[in-house]
């Protein structure tokens, strides 16, 4: 008898890059930057692994000191990197990050050219998806036609293998070519996702393009979307399904760096789905239970809140026990 494959892998596709975080300068001293591993999908993989989940990163890294650093960091977090590939045709992307007094960040990207943009459909390996419960992507791998096509193809491939598909819009306008309109590619990728996470400004962007809030949701429902989440800093998280909606409160923490808070949130949500045995086949049934949605979003919100209390991306990801403690402290 052939044993059934355990579907618990959370596959994160897209960019891994270096965040150079500007730390406060001492009086009379120049500003200095500290190197951290980052990149939204890579951050999600690190956060899943830090919480004890089966995390897998798929993407392309440069054959350079930064690519080596990222690979070493992913492996140090016990992320499965068997399906990541390397290229000497471009360097690993860099992002310089500055923070305001509330920990809100602004980015200066050195990309393109960048290694992560050179991943192509032929680089996917079907065995990557055999045990996949979820595939997660964001819009940073939509900024050029070829990598956008690759991203959408990967989402479709994951669905064909029976995985749920997740997308955090994570819109960074400065990554897109000047004068280009991200909307067509964003809508195309969003149509392939079962779970969609938007921050308030991203929801507003889509609402302006759709005409109004309900029109945005209706357009998303025309695709595969079954759960749409809208986060807004410390305000309640709003959730929408095709049949219901609700809110879940956020957590109170002293934020110092929000760079990876959204990625930790996504990891907490997706891992909760896997832990509860939710699959592509049972997702609709699970969505019918508002208490189950609230439980998953509280777990996600706790993870995101804790990530905002530390500097860096990988380095800020909370452990399972820290999340459980915050859930007890702020029930």
């Amino acid at each position: 008898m052939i044993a059934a494959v355990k579907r618990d892998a959370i596959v994160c596709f897209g960019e891994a890059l270096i965040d150079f975080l500007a730390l406060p300068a001492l009086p009379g001293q120049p500003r200095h930057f500290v190197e951290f591993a980052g990149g939204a999908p890579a951050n999600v993989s690190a956060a899943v692994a830090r919480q004890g989940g089966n995390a897998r990163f798929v993407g392309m890294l440069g054959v350079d000191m930064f690519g080596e650093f990222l690979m070493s960091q992913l492996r140090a977090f016990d992320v499965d990197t068997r399906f990541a590939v390397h290229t000497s045709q471009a360097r690993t992307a860099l992002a310089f990050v500055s923070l305001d007094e509330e920990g809100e960040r602004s980015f200066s990207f050195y990309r393109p050219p960048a290694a992560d943009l050179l991943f192509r459909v032929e680089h996917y390996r079907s065995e990557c998806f055999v045990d996949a419960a979820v595939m997660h992507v964001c819009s940073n791998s939509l900024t050029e036609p070829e990598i956008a096509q690759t991203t959408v193809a990967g989402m479709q491939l994951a669905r064909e293998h029976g995985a749920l598909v997740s997308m955090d819009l994570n819109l960074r306008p400065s990554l897109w070519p000047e004068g280009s309109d991200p909307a067509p590619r964003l809508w195309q990728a969003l149509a392939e996702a079962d779970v969609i996470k938007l921050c308030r400004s991203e929801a507003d962007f889509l609402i302006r393009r759709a005409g109004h809030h309900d029109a945005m949701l209706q357009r998303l429902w025309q695709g595969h979307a079954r759960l749409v989440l809208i986060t807004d800093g410390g305000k309640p998280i709003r959730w929408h399904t095709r049949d219901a909606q609700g809110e879940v409160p956020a957590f109170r923490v002293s934020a110092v760096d929000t760079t990876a808070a959204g990625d930790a949130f996504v990891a907490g949500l997706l891992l909760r789905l896997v832990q509860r045995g939710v699959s592509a086949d049972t997702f609709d049934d699970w969505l019918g239970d508002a208490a189950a949605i609230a439980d998953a979003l509280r777990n996600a919100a706790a993870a995101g809140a804790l990530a905002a209390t530390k500097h860096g991306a990988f380095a800020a990801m909370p452990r399972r026990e820290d999340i459980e403690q915050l859930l007890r402290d702020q029930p």
Side-chain angles (χ1 to χ4, degrees):
M1 180 181 294
I2 300 175
V5 175
K6 182 180 181 181
R7 283 188 169 275
D8 64 351
I10 297 176
V11 179
C12 302
F13 171 77
E15 87 277 9
L17 51 77
I18 302 296
D19 286 330
F20 281 106
L21 179 64
L23 297 184
L26 298 174
Q29 298 295 317
R31 180 170 59 170
H32 61 286
F33 293 84
V34 177
E35 175 189 39
F36 288 98
N43 292 342
V44 174
S45 71
V48 168
R50 177 61 68 89
Q51 295 178 42
N54 180 4
R56 180 170 299 149
F57 174 73
V58 180
M60 185 169 280
L61 302 173
V63 182
D64 53 33
M65 68 172 72
F66 297 126
E68 292 173 0
F69 174 71
L70 287 167
M71 184 61 75
S72 69
Q73 288 289 291
L74 287 164
R75 289 172 175 167
F77 274 71
D78 291 328
V79 174
D80 179 359
T81 60
R82 290 175 296 155
F83 303 99
V85 292
H86 299 79
T87 182
S88 59
Q89 301 302 307
R91 300 294 185 180
T92 301
L94 309 178
F96 289 81
V97 188
S98 60
L99 304 173
D100 65 17
E101 293 180 353
E102 273 107 35
E104 287 297 329
R105 66 270 193 260
S106 58
F107 296 90
S108 179
F109 291 99
Y110 286 72
R111 171 187 184 262
D116 63 279
L117 297 173
L118 300 182
F119 196 100
R120 296 292 179 262
V121 173
E122 58 266 25
H123 293 128
Y124 288 119
R125 290 159 53 189
S126 60
E127 58 265 37
C128 173
F129 300 101
V130 170
D131 62 345
V134 185
M135 181 180 184
H136 176 71
V137 305
C138 78
S139 71
N140 294 345
S141 58
L142 301 176
T143 56
E144 295 187 354
E146 294 82 1
I147 189 63
Q149 180 182 5
T150 300
T151 302
V152 171
M155 299 168 81
Q156 294 169 341
L157 184 61
R159 186 181 306 283
E160 290 170 6
H161 280 79
L164 281 167
V165 179
S166 162
M167 183 174 181
D168 179 359
L169 196 60
N170 198 40
L171 181 60
R172 301 283 179 262
S174 60
L175 283 176
W176 292 75
E178 186 175 356
S180 67
D181 180 9
R185 289 185 205 155
L186 298 182
W187 288 118
Q188 181 187 18
L190 288 167
E192 298 294 338
D194 300 291
V195 180
I196 295 171
K197 184 254 181 197
L198 309 169
C199 72
R200 178 70 265 170
S201 62
E202 293 161 354
D204 290 342
F205 175 88
L206 296 180
I207 289 168
R208 287 193 298 271
R209 297 310 177 95
H212 53 84
H213 185 272
D214 289 345
M216 175 196 71
L217 288 174
Q218 287 305 315
R219 179 155 185 178
L220 294 176
W221 301 145
Q222 290 172 12
H224 289 281
R226 290 182 271 175
L227 175 63
V228 176
L229 309 171
I230 302 175
T231 62
D232 193 5
K235 296 179 181 179
I237 301 136
R238 295 165 55 195
W239 60 266
H240 300 266
T241 69
R242 298 186 181 207
D243 302 312
Q245 62 184 1
E247 289 187 350
V248 173
F251 287 84
R252 300 179 302 278
V253 297
S254 297
V256 299
D257 181 0
T258 61
T259 300
D263 302 323
F265 176 96
V266 169
L269 170 67
L270 299 183
L271 187 54
R272 199 63 151 191
L273 293 178
V274 172
Q275 290 169 339
R276 296 293 189 252
V278 179
S279 66
D281 292 335
T282 63
F283 191 44
D284 284 332
D285 291 337
W286 181 84
L287 289 173
D289 185 348
I293 295 173
D295 167 73
L297 292 183
R298 285 287 284 170
N299 189 76
L306 288 170
T309 65
K310 296 181 179 180
H311 286 296
F314 283 29
M317 296 309 180
R319 298 183 184 276
R320 178 73 248 157
E321 54 266 31
D322 299 322
I323 295 171
E324 291 173 350
Q325 185 62 52
L326 183 57
L327 289 167
R328 289 192 294 268
D329 291 343
Q330 296 186 38

